[in-house]
Amino acid sequence: MKKEMIKGLAVFVMLFMAGELFAQLTFSGEFRPRTEFRHGYKTLSAVDADAAFFTSQRTRLNVFFKSEDFKVGFSLQDVRTWGATKQLNLADDLSGIHEAWGQYLFDEKFSVKLGRQEIIYDDHRIFGSVGWAQQARSHDAAIFKYADAGFKLDVGLAFNQEKESLFNTHYDLANYKAFQYVWLHKKLEDFGMSFLVLNNGRQFTTLVQDVTNYDVAYSQTYGTRLTYKKNDLSFATAFYGQSGKNAANKDLSASYLAAEASYAFTSEFTMGVGFEMLSGNDQVNGDAMEDKAFTPFYGTNHKFNGHMDYFYVGNHGGSVGLNDIYSSFKYKKDRFSAALVVHLFSAAGSVADPANSNKEMESYLGTEFDFSIGYALTKGVSFAAGYSQMMATETMEALKGGSLDETNNWVWVMVTFKPSYLVK
């Protein structure tokens, strides 16, 4: 498979370099190994459980072409864990296409972008690249784009199928079946305002008289994000609501509220505070016919509620929601940077006591400390490392399992190489 991908890429490059159409061609790459020590990452460690230790690696080759009338982008990606393949390995399924898209420019303001692509808006909360994950996230979609004088409008459409077929549109992958969205953004000097409406469809099945029916449940996510930045002060707030049906075709009524502020005391030191409130379901006296759990769908969730990924990173969906109060301390000078972020977590919905399902536990889940450093070794090469620790409560233990008495921590070290070459 890798040989065919390389051949196709070579043909693409030769075609554009040989013709008069050639305008600008950019080659870039990424080699990013990351070593991790996990003992309580994503969930509390069981008593006396051995820690996990491994090195994962992302390798990318990116090609970007731009002419007066259109753009084309390719990103070939290989994600693997060191030792996962034999030394005399002939082939594997670890390589693929992260992005492959074309964008036609009708004029300087209006265009359409088609194919596999990353979709990123605002702070990555609803749509993000999930760049921390080695595989990252990309979508097969069509996006109509308009941009003019500080105003942007995107209309996105997607409809997923596993393969070509003669009949039916059954879709069994754990993914959305279809979506349609509108995103608007306006920049006004120190202020920024975005508005998003997402109609998200998930396929579900029902069995009626031994006949399996395939239907699509649509939920609606709608809301706004406002930003302000002047001199050393930055502020942002966001609100989203969700309604319609969830993936199980239950009524959905959920909400999200966030606000944060930061201030640069010096050119090197910045401090910030903020909170997020994601509604959730009640385990005690909850309504089984209604889903109140907010879902941040396709966001870069590792960025938000603690680096240990206890919430909304392939987990915690449809659960008790989350209240997250946090503070951050960031230092940057020349090539060096350091950050400390402290999160205070609590459940938005009620958590039932395992010993008595009618008894509600305290909402406080725990405190997480995330410390990280970074250093730019040279242009295109950087080093980063981090240490995180979760100080959990009995409520977290009841919700996640494992043991709060274990040392629940996570350590990582990462080196990133990013070569780039521009041909004009």
Side-chain angles (χ1 to χ4, degrees):
M1 180 180 178
K2 286 188 287 186
K3 290 182 179 180
E4 297 301 322
M5 291 167 56
I6 294 172
K7 288 179 181 178
L9 180 62
V11 171
F12 165 79
V13 172
M14 288 187 291
L15 284 174
F16 282 108
M17 293 187 70
E20 294 181 358
L21 188 61
F22 183 84
Q24 179 176 300
L25 192 62
T26 303
F27 295 89
S28 64
E30 182 181 42
F31 172 69
R32 192 178 81 171
R34 181 169 69 225
T35 299
E36 298 184 47
F37 171 93
R38 294 178 173 180
H39 191 261
Y41 172 80
K42 278 199 173 185
T43 189
L44 299 177
S45 172
V47 176
D48 297 328
D50 292 334
F53 185 78
F54 60 90
T55 298
S56 62
Q57 174 184 307
R58 177 166 84 193
T59 307
R60 282 182 181 172
L61 175 60
N62 308 308
V63 180
F64 175 73
F65 173 83
K66 178 181 179 181
S67 74
E68 183 178 350
D69 300 319
F70 71 94
K71 304 175 184 178
V72 175
F74 292 99
S75 179
L76 308 183
Q77 177 172 272
D78 180 273
V79 176
R80 62 184 62 237
T81 301
W82 286 10
T85 53
K86 298 178 181 179
Q87 296 175 11
L88 299 177
N89 184 50
L90 179 63
D92 55 50
D93 296 322
L94 301 176
S95 300
I97 296 177
H98 176 61
E99 290 192 285
W101 53 264
Q103 184 174 0
Y104 181 73
L105 311 175
F106 293 96
D107 55 37
E108 62 181 11
K109 298 179 182 179
F110 180 57
S111 66
V112 59
K113 188 176 182 182
L114 307 171
R116 190 156 189 85
Q117 56 193 289
E118 292 184 348
I119 302 178
I120 303 169
Y121 292 121
D122 301 316
D123 60 346
H124 288 239
R125 198 36 162 153
I126 305 298
F127 279 103
S129 62
V130 196
W132 170 260
Q134 298 286 42
Q135 72 277 12
R137 185 194 297 277
S138 53
H139 304 256
D140 298 311
I143 305 177
F144 298 88
K145 295 175 171 288
Y146 178 85
D148 181 37
F151 175 76
K152 295 180 180 181
L153 168 64
D154 282 11
V155 177
L157 307 170
F159 186 87
N160 286 332
Q161 277 300 101
E162 294 178 54
K163 58 184 178 181
E164 295 182 13
S165 62
L166 296 177
F167 303 99
N168 300 316
T169 59
H170 302 164
Y171 189 68
D172 294 325
L173 298 182
N175 199 357
Y176 56 85
K177 173 63 178 176
F179 68 50
Q180 309 85 40
Y181 70 82
V182 177
W183 175 78
L184 301 93
H185 177 77
K186 180 63 178 177
K187 178 70 174 176
L188 295 169
E189 295 183 354
D190 303 325
F191 291 90
M193 179 177 66
S194 295
F195 185 73
L196 173 69
V197 177
L198 167 65
N199 189 42
N200 191 78
R202 296 293 298 269
Q203 187 165 286
F204 67 98
T205 60
T206 56
L207 187 64
V208 180
Q209 296 180 350
D210 297 327
V211 177
T212 301
N213 296 316
Y214 297 85
D215 297 297
V216 180
Y218 280 96
S219 66
Q220 294 76 48
T221 300
Y222 41 85
T224 186
R225 184 172 189 268
L226 307 174
T227 60
Y228 172 81
K229 180 174 176 57
K230 188 170 185 179
N231 299 326
D232 298 322
L233 177 65
S234 298
F235 178 78
T237 185
F239 170 80
Y240 295 101
Q242 287 182 338
S243 59
K245 301 287 186 178
N246 67 6
N249 201 35
K250 290 183 179 180
D251 290 334
L252 176 64
S253 179
S255 61
Y256 168 93
L257 177 64
E260 64 178 6
S262 63
Y263 187 79
F265 290 91
T266 69
S267 60
E268 300 166 352
F269 178 71
T270 301
M271 179 178 175
V273 293
F275 72 88
E276 281 196 313
M277 300 171 60
L278 297 89
S279 65
N281 293 311
D282 292 312
Q283 292 186 353
V284 179
N285 298 323
D287 186 350
M289 302 304 295
E290 186 176 42
D291 184 5
K292 296 181 179 180
F294 185 88
T295 302
F297 284 117
Y298 315 115
T300 306
N301 298 324
H302 173 81
K303 174 186 175 183
F304 293 89
N305 306 124
H307 289 171
M308 294 182 75
D309 293 344
Y310 271 58
F311 309 100
Y312 304 108
V313 183
N315 54 17
H316 203 65
S319 188
V320 296
L322 184 69
N323 295 323
D324 178 9
I325 301 173
Y326 58 89
S327 58
S328 62
F329 309 87
K330 298 179 180 180
Y331 177 83
K332 181 175 176 57
K333 184 176 182 180
D334 300 327
R335 298 183 180 184
F336 176 78
S337 62
L340 172 64
V341 184
V342 182
H343 294 266
L344 302 178
F345 299 123
S346 61
S350 60
V351 179
D353 190 328
N356 182 356
S357 60
N358 294 319
K359 180 182 177 182
E360 182 176 340
M361 300 187 73
E362 180 185 356
S363 63
Y364 175 54
L365 296 172
T367 299
E368 180 177 330
F369 299 90
D370 296 322
F371 176 71
S372 60
I373 59 172
Y375 186 80
L377 299 171
T378 186
K379 183 179 180 180
V381 183
S382 61
F383 168 85
Y387 176 85
S388 297
Q389 182 153 344
M390 173 65 75
M391 310 296 291
T393 66
E394 292 182 355
T395 308
M396 179 78 86
E397 188 178 87
L399 186 65
K400 289 281 187 178
S403 173
L404 64 89
D405 295 322
E406 293 293 302
T407 301
N408 293 287
N409 59 1
W410 174 53
V411 184
W412 59 273
V413 177
M414 182 168 70
V415 180
T416 303
F417 299 81
K418 284 191 172 183
S420 181
Y421 181 67
L422 174 64
V423 180
K424 289 186 177 180

